[in-house]
Amino acid sequence: MCQKKYIDDFTVLQTRRVTHDYVIIDLQHPSQLPDIRPGQFVQVKVEDRPNVFLRRPISVHDADKNQGILRLLVQEVGEGTRWMGQLEPGQKLNLVYPLGNSFPMPKTDRVLLVGGGCGIAPLLFLGKELRKHGIKPRFLMGARSAAHLIDMSEYRELGDVYVTTEDGSEGTKGFVIHHPVMKTDKPDFDVIYTCGPEPMMKVLAKYAANHHLDCHVSLENSMACGIGACLCCVTATQQGNKCTCIDGPVFDSKDLKW
Amino acid sequence: MVNLSVDLNGLQLKNPVMTASGTYGYGEEYNDFYDINQLGGIIVKGTTLNHREGNAYPRMAETPMGMLNAVGLQNKGVEYFATTINPRISHFTTNVLVNVSGSTIEEYVATAERIASLPNIPGIELNISCPNVKEGGMAFGTSCPSAVAVVEAVRQVFPRHLMVKLSPNVTNIVEIAKGVEGAGADSVSLINTLLGMAIDAEKQRPMLSTITGGLSGPAVKPVALRMVWQVAREVKIPVVGLGGISNATDAIEFILAGASAIQVGTANFVDPMVCVKIIDGIRDYMIRHQVNDIKELVGALRC
C-alpha cells in the first residue's frame, strides 16, 4: 500500500499574493511533518462555503520537514480557492495529506521541468529535490502574460529558467513548445517533468515520444476523496483506468492513452 | 453505559454506523485515519462477476451540497476480490459486507455464490439500484417483478445476511421494498443515488462523460429520510438508512424515521474521520436524552 496518510489542522503563517490571482500560503504543522515528496498533494477542507462541498486538491509547492512548514501555491479559480486566498495568519486549515505518488528521480542529470500556469507549483519542490541529488534542473515556464507569472527568483536559485508567454510580454512569445530549447533536432535533455494544462502536457508527451525521451506528467483530474476510495479521478492507461489520486498524479506519459 | 449494538435480523453490529459502498474502498483506504473496526460494518465497493473498467472520465461533478458520480461499477471482478483483496482485509473484525451487482440474474447469482464461499464475509448488499450502468443495476430495482426475481434467485445460493439496496428512482419504493422482503431479503438499505445531471454552461457540455449520474450528499437527505420513513412503516425486516448522512444528528434523524442502522457515504470524502464522530455523537445524544438502548430510538418519531 501507499504511504500513511494523515488528517491535521495546520496553522496559516501567511498568505502572500504573488499575482492578481495567485497566492502562496505558508502553513505550520502542529508537530512533526511526515515525509512529503515532490509531486504529492494535499486535500484542503474549505470551511463555511455552502457551494464548496468537496475538498480541494492542491499540490505541494514546497515543504520544510525540519521547520514543519508546508507551502501551497494556489490559483484562485473558483469559490474554494478564492476562500484560500483570503486566509489570515493564525487561521486553521484542515488537510488530508500527503497524497499521491511523486516524481521519480532521474537516471540522468539532463532534465527539463516544464510548467504551465499553476502547474509550476510542484516544480519548485521537485527542483530542490533534484539539487539534493546533485542534479541542476532547468525550468521552462509558460504563462498567459507577464502579469500571470510569479516571481521566478526561487527557481533561478536552482537552475536556468526559460519563460514563454502567449502575448510575448515576457520571454519567448508563444507556448512552451515554441521555446528555442524545444526547437532542436537533438534536445540537450533526456527527461521531461511537466505539470500544467493537459493540452500542453499532451504536446510534450508527443515531443518526448518523437525524441525518445522520458516524460513524467502530473495530472490535475478533478477528484472527490483523494485517497483511492471513490474512483472518480481515473485516467485511461495502458493497464486500464487508474486513479489519479493514488496511482498518480504523476504518470509516465507512455502509460497514458493520450 | 448506553447500548449501541444492533441486531440486524441476525447480523450483529456493535453500533449502527456502517459505510456505504463505493465511498469507502475496501476499508484499507481509511485505516490510516482510525481503526475501522470501531464501525458497525463496512460495505465494500460494488463487485461484479467479471472485471469492469467503469465509465470514462469525467465521472464526478460537484453540485450544491452534494456530488454526482458516474463511476459505473469499476472493479476487478469477484474472483479477484476473493483471491487478492479479501485475504488482505480478512483481519478486519468489523462486519465486511460485499456489495454485489450484475447485468443478468445469472451474474448476480454467480457473484453471490462466490462470496458465500468466503467465511469471513457475513453478508452481501445486493445492488439493484446502480444508476450508472447500461444494463442491469437500476433496471432490476425499478420494477417490482425483476427486483423480486433477482432477490429470490440470490436467496437460493446465499445463506447469510442478504441486504437489498433500493433505488429512489421509482414511483413507489414501498412496493419494491415489500416485494424484496417477500423474496427473502433479510434487510433493505436505502437510498442509492438519485439520477441527476450537471451542465457546464460555458462549454455547453455535460459535466459527466455519461451525461447523467447519481446524486449523493446532503442534498439528497430529505428524500432519503422520507423514503426510509415510508418503507420502515410497511416492512418487518430492518431498514438501513443512507443518503446524505454527514453527522450524528443526521444519523439520529434516520433512526427516528425507522432505520435500525445507517450508512455513511459521500461524507467520508469530505471528512475521513466522520464515521467515528458520528458514533461518538450518537452516544452523546443517547446520554443527553436518557436513552439506554439504541433500539428505543428506532422509529420513535413522534408524529
Side-chain angles (χ1 to χ4, degrees), chain B residues 137-219:
Chain B
M138 194 171 81
F140 283 100
T142 50
S143 125
C144 199
S146 62
V148 166
V150 67
V151 173
E152 274 178 349
V154 170
R155 181 75 286 178
Q156 299 295 316
V157 299
F158 195 78
R160 298 196 291 276
H161 192 91
L162 176 56
M163 186 184 293
V164 179
K165 189 169 186 177
L166 303 182
S167 172
N169 304 303
V170 295
T171 309
N172 186 349
I173 196 168
V174 172
E175 182 193 12
I176 311 259
K178 287 166 102 170
V180 302
E181 177 181 40
D186 295 310
S187 64
V188 284
S189 55
L190 58 142
I191 58 173
N192 205 322
T193 54
L194 277 154
L195 195 60
M197 182 167 167
I199 290 174
D200 182 330
E202 290 306 314
K203 294 182 182 152
Q204 305 186 342
R205 287 182 172 279
M207 299 281 281
L208 300 174
S209 67
T210 48
I211 304 176
T212 62
L215 181 65
S216 64

Side-chain angles (χ1 to χ4, degrees), chain A residues 149-185:
Chain A
L149 204 61
I150 71 165
D151 177 16
M152 285 286 132
S153 50
E154 273 193 287
Y155 295 87
R156 287 210 170 86
E157 285 171 21
L158 302 169
D160 293 341
V161 176
Y162 316 126
V163 171
T164 64
T165 51
E166 289 172 40
D167 64 356
S169 52
E170 190 165 337
T172 303
K173 183 175 170 151
F175 294 112
V176 291
I177 198 73
H178 301 128
H179 192 274
V181 75
M182 308 294 290
K183 288 196 154 188
T184 161
D185 290 339

Side-chain angles (χ1 to χ4, degrees), chain B residues 31-212:
Chain B
N31 214 30
D32 279 354
F33 303 111
Y34 61 91
D35 176 7
I36 68 160
N37 294 314
Q38 295 174 68
L39 300 173
I42 68 170
I43 301 175
V44 303
K45 179 69 194 159
T47 302
T48 50
L49 182 60
N50 300 311
H51 170 102
R52 287 183 62 101
E53 269 301 303
N55 295 320
Y57 179 85
R59 293 176 168 184
M60 191 276 288
E62 189 178 34
T63 58
M65 293 308 281
M67 59 177 274
L68 289 161
N69 91 80
V71 173
L73 295 174
Q74 180 182 324
N75 79 103
K76 290 187 172 169
V78 70
E79 199 51 41
Y80 184 86
F81 173 79
T83 56
T84 305
I85 298 171
N86 192 48
R88 228 163 56 205
I89 61 172
S90 58
H91 65 282
F92 289 148
T93 56
T94 188
N95 293 294
V96 177
L97 275 67
V98 178
N99 180 283
V100 168
S101 200
S103 304
T104 63
I105 289 185
E106 291 71 30
E107 279 182 31
Y108 276 102
V109 167
T111 308
E113 218 166 3
R114 185 69 179 94
I115 301 293
S117 73
L118 306 173
N120 65 304
I121 306 291
I124 58 175
E125 180 182 58
L126 204 64
N127 183 358
I128 56 169
S129 43
C130 177
N132 292 324
V133 290
K134 282 201 186 80
E135 298 145 354
M138 194 171 81
F140 283 100
T142 50
S143 125
C144 199
S146 62
V148 166
V150 67
V151 173
E152 274 178 349
V154 170
R155 181 75 286 178
Q156 299 295 316
V157 299
F158 195 78
R160 298 196 291 276
H161 192 91
L162 176 56
M163 186 184 293
V164 179
K165 189 169 186 177
L166 303 182
S167 172
N169 304 303
V170 295
T171 309
N172 186 349
I173 196 168
V174 172
E175 182 193 12
I176 311 259
K178 287 166 102 170
V180 302
E181 177 181 40
D186 295 310
S187 64
V188 284
S189 55
L190 58 142
I191 58 173
N192 205 322
T193 54
L194 277 154
L195 195 60
M197 182 167 167
I199 290 174
D200 182 330
E202 290 306 314
K203 294 182 182 152
Q204 305 186 342
R205 287 182 172 279
M207 299 281 281
L208 300 174
S209 67
T210 48
I211 304 176
T212 62

